[in-house]
Amino acid sequence: MFHPLISLHRRSLVAAVLLVVFLVPSAFANTSGPQLLTYPELVRLYSEREPDAELELKLNRLLTTPFISNNGAPHGSFARSPHTGEFLRFAFWNIERGLEYDAIEAIFADPAAFEALLDPEEYPIGSEKREQVMEEATALRMADVIVLNEVDWGMKRSGYRNIVADLASKLGMNYAFGLQFVELSPILYGTEPDSPDSEEQELIDALRPDRSQYKGLHGMAVLSRFPLENVRLVPFESQPYDWYISELKGPGVLETAKQQASKRIFLQKTLREVRRGGRAMLIADVIHERIPTGRATVVATHLENRTKPANRVLQLKEVLAAIKPIRNPVILAGDMNTTGQDMTPTTFGREIRKRIGNPTFWLKRGAKYALGVGMIEDLAMAAVSFGRSHADPTVKHIPFISPNPERKFFSTLRDFRFDDGGGFDMRGDRERSTGRRGNTLSNSNERGTKGFITTYTVKRPIKIIGKQKLDWIFVKPADADRTARKPSDSQLFAPHHGRTLRALTEIVEDRISDHRPMIVDLPITARAPVE
């Protein structure tokens, strides 16, 4: 299969050049990164299945070299709680491309702007509902380190912003950005000929990117109040879905529409996500003298959704192999796509919005073009989400009776050991779990009355349908001689009171993201007090 990152016959050349790329950047520069692609080069990447060596090399620099900025304001203090002592707060959020960037920025950086977003009728002053979202925003705003998935740079759908750079500047934080995909679908509409059909022409005009602003970058980011060192971007060897070749063929859900109408054929093009690149991990050391050992390694990733659970385990094993030698604390976070299926379910209209933004044009026409698709999708959603594991993919796998194809993912994490003997903290004691709901992983990931609080939601009339636990935070605590199995084991830099912030994403009409943000507190004191 065509490898999305690099063809085999050119790997030796690329490896040699990449070695130079990693060695050359100046130690005195506070901002670094590879050269961006020009618009003509993006056109070639869309139209040429095998680009020439020079362009392929430039692409691979982007896919293996992180963008790094240590221009953040100095920050040396930590928050304190009577339950944990001083702690570092870590946050993770899949921000769904940053479609609602202004709301995201307001939550993190501007309490007044955030409060102005609240509809006074839906969130009356003094109401419990208003107090909840205000408290959640305050909790997220306290984050010292933030990992973001689905981060755009130079995409029309998100206002052509460099989202991580803009947010880091607003917060006074350092950042690292790791590219996973160069988004090429919009390039088609930069060269699409005018159509005699007025409605089709309106589609073309709505999709055409601004060549002067379009960069087409999409990836993941780490933001930190403290300096970032030893930053690296590591693509997975295992890439079970080819986002370039497969997406050129168009999404299967619209195959039945091919012969029905020319506009549906045109719409099929708009739903493609033709990309160069693949899934990867972004690794960075957060540096502060008060952190045990002076550093904590943050590992951001976003595992493949369009594949079987077994292939996500292969990607997880690559992450674990890469971080196995690390002797300091480790935080692994990301959208792990623990769906139990090959593909994360979503709404037809939202898929359009993810690819091409949210102009009024699409709000007026979404229902018209979705005709005949919604019923099929609802049935697929029900099949995916209903059952004992929809909110707890860690449950036991019972073949034939109650299978759980994601179980292997969590048993692999549970059994993994770093070279220093440490492991990921799987504990779930009531004293250190939100709502005192203790069970496996509840110290780091909030549990509900049944399973975990779900992190991925699609609006549906049947509440159990369209909710899943896809996003996770896993922590290796500070004491290497402990495997963090019992509440009595060391709590130094161990996860406390992991939360999923359920109300924040609902404050705007179409939600800020289809994923909910998560936080966890990591004590930096040797003995963390408990309730």
Side-chain angles (χ1 to χ4, degrees), residues 42-252:
L42 291 167
V43 172
R44 288 166 54 200
L45 285 175
Y46 183 91
S47 59
E48 299 173 11
R49 292 202 173 193
E50 294 190 16
D52 61 45
E54 182 180 358
L55 180 55
E56 186 176 42
L57 184 58
K58 190 173 182 180
L59 171 64
N60 279 277
R61 286 173 180 166
L62 275 167
L63 294 168
T64 55
T65 310
F67 294 84
I68 307 165
S69 172
N70 274 310
N71 290 316
H75 183 87
S77 62
F78 292 89
R80 175 184 290 273
S81 160
H83 307 307
T84 58
E86 285 186 292
F87 62 87
L88 179 151
R89 176 160 293 177
F90 178 89
F92 169 76
W93 196 0
N94 179 328
I95 59 171
E96 196 182 6
R97 279 75 165 159
L99 299 176
E100 297 286 352
Y101 175 79
D102 290 339
I104 293 168
E105 183 182 279
I107 290 172
F108 279 110
D110 194 335
F114 170 74
E115 193 163 7
L117 292 173
L118 303 180
D119 184 337
E121 293 186 3
E122 187 174 357
Y123 299 93
I125 294 176
S127 67
E128 183 178 341
K129 191 174 183 180
R130 188 184 186 92
E131 289 179 3
Q132 180 184 0
V133 296
M134 294 294 289
E135 186 276 331
E136 287 188 359
T138 299
L140 190 56
R141 203 172 294 128
M142 289 174 59
D144 299 295
V145 179
I146 305 164
V147 165
L148 301 177
N149 275 179
E150 295 196 10
V151 181
D152 275 357
W153 180 354
M155 294 292 297
K156 183 173 184 176
R157 65 195 177 196
S158 47
Y160 298 107
R161 293 182 179 90
N162 181 345
I163 285 177
V164 63
D166 290 352
L167 186 59
S169 176
K170 191 73 174 180
L171 295 173
M173 298 178 84
N174 306 304
Y175 73 85
F177 174 76
L179 181 68
Q180 286 191 296
F181 297 106
V182 178
E183 303 280 357
L184 298 172
S185 291
I187 299 301
L188 170 66
Y189 308 104
T191 57
E192 189 80 10
D194 289 342
S195 170
D197 185 298
S198 60
E199 286 196 39
E200 189 166 290
Q201 184 60 45
E202 196 173 2
L203 275 166
I204 294 171
D205 292 340
L207 293 166
R208 276 179 173 158
D210 181 339
R211 299 186 181 200
S212 66
Q213 298 189 75
Y214 190 81
K215 303 293 185 293
L217 307 185
H218 181 75
M220 51 198 168
V222 177
L223 296 92
S224 171
R225 300 191 191 281
F226 316 114
L228 297 172
E229 292 184 359
N230 195 24
V231 182
R232 54 263 197 220
L233 176 61
V234 185
F236 293 132
E237 287 292 323
S238 175
Q239 300 286 351
Y241 186 77
D242 189 328
W243 284 89
Y244 179 69
I245 298 297
S246 298
E247 289 294 305
L248 280 174
K249 300 174 183 178

Side-chain angles (χ1 to χ4, degrees), residues 23-41:
L23 293 176
V24 167
S26 169
F28 302 103
N30 289 325
T31 302
S32 64
Q35 185 180 8
L36 300 182
L37 296 161
T38 66
Y39 193 86
E41 287 172 332

